[in-house]
Structures are given as C-alpha cells and as structure tokens.
Amino acid sequence: MKNTRYLTTMGLLLALACGISFLETLLPLPLPLGVKPGLSSIVVMYVLLFLDAPSAWLLTALKSGFVFLTRGVTAGIMSLSGGIVSLCVMLLLLRLLHCSTLLMSISGAISHNLGQLLAAMLLLQTPALGFQLPVLLLAGWIAGTGTGLCFQAMLPAFRRIARLQRKGFGSSGK
C-alpha cells in the first residue's frame, strides 16, 4: 500500500508541476524571451522538503520529459539542464547551510537560468549568448523571490498535507 500511495502522490505532484509549467507558457507576460516565473519549482521544493531528494530528482526528470514531449528536443534539454543545476544547488544549500526556503528558491531560480544558458551555449556552440547573463541573473532573482514568497505563504498548508500524508490520509494504514 505504501508504494501505491507513493506512486499516486508522485503522479499528482508531476501533474501539478507539468500543469503549472504549461500554464506559464500561455501567460502573456512582458518578459524577455524564454523567461518564465518558474512557479512549478514550488512543487519541486515541496518534494525536496517533504518527501526526499530521490523523489525530487525523479520529478525533475519527468517534468523535463513532459517538456520534451510537448515543446520539443531543445526545450527538453534546456529544461533538464536547468533542472539538474537548480536541484544540485538547492540540495547543497539545504544540506550544508540549512538555509531558508526563500534563499533556496532564489538560488534555485538563478542556477536554473545559468544551467539553461550553459546548455544553450553548448547546443548553439557560441559563447556569445553570455551577453544574456545579466538579464538572466536579474530574472532569476525576481522569479526566485516571487516563487519563494509563494512557497512561504503556502508552507502551513504544505505542512498539513505532509502530516496527513504520513498518517495515510486518514486510512486505517492497511
């Protein structure tokens, strides 16, 4: 029953992360090309803080697979590269510094942008894309702050959900 609960939970969290990511592509925001708010990272942070690191890695990979299927190979590679770098940074901050969720979110967003920039430079074989670095650093800081504040506002609800999940959502535990 525990495996079923885990699979169901991860499936729902993946659907939520993919849905949020897809909805962000539909928003007509006046942002530079490729810059998104990154709200689906709230789900990744939830998994990292309330489940475990292997589940966060799995979610990141599956979310990138969704991007690959819906937006193509290049977008999938960009998603995976940004996700890997971001998750590495967030894990290091969480494990070594026990930092706040706000700092974790900002650092994760900035590192996500850096990972994507490096991937784009490798894919296009041009270091000239480095000129976008200041814009991406600023965008990561702004998006990470917004996402981190949203996460902090939802933290009491996340704690209740995690408590219920540990109890088995009120089931008899069978």
Side-chain angles (χ1 to χ4, degrees):
M1 193 62 146
K2 189 172 185 170
N3 286 340
T4 304
R5 188 176 308 133
Y6 174 78
L7 287 174
T8 305
T9 300
M10 286 299 292
L12 289 170
L13 291 169
L14 175 62
L16 181 60
C18 290
I20 292 169
S21 178
F22 181 73
L23 286 175
E24 282 184 338
T25 65
L26 302 177
L27 294 175
L29 297 174
L31 299 172
L33 181 63
V35 175
K36 296 186 319 179
L39 293 172
S40 65
S41 66
I42 290 173
V43 181
V44 175
M45 287 176 57
Y46 171 84
V47 172
L48 189 56
L49 292 170
F50 293 100
L51 295 180
D52 54 24
S55 298
W57 285 112
L58 178 63
L59 181 68
T60 299
L62 292 174
K63 194 172 86 148
S64 296
F66 171 78
V67 171
F68 171 79
L69 290 173
T70 58
R71 290 180 244 158
V73 175
T74 303
I77 290 170
M78 300 292 282
S79 174
L80 186 60
S81 61
I84 287 171
V85 174
S86 174
L87 193 52
C88 284
V89 167
M90 288 193 295
L91 272 167
L92 283 172
L93 288 173
L94 185 64
R95 299 258 166 87
L96 298 179
L97 302 177
H98 307 288
C99 70
S100 71
T101 56
L102 182 60
L103 179 60
M104 197 168 79
S105 177
I106 293 169
S107 301
I110 290 171
S111 59
H112 191 280
N113 288 351
L114 292 176
Q116 287 190 325
L117 180 62
L118 288 173
M121 292 168 74
L122 289 172
L123 284 172
L124 298 174
Q125 297 181 352
T126 177
L129 290 175
F131 75 91
Q132 289 192 1
L133 184 61
V135 172
L136 292 175
L137 291 174
L138 179 63
W141 181 74
I142 293 169
T145 299
T147 300
L149 291 173
C150 287
F151 187 88
Q152 286 181 338
M154 293 186 267
L155 201 49
F158 289 158
R159 287 187 176 121
R160 284 192 300 275
I161 291 167
R163 232 181 352 264
L164 287 172
Q165 187 179 17
R166 282 190 293 276
K167 288 181 183 177
F169 295 102
S171 70
S172 60
K174 293 181 184 177

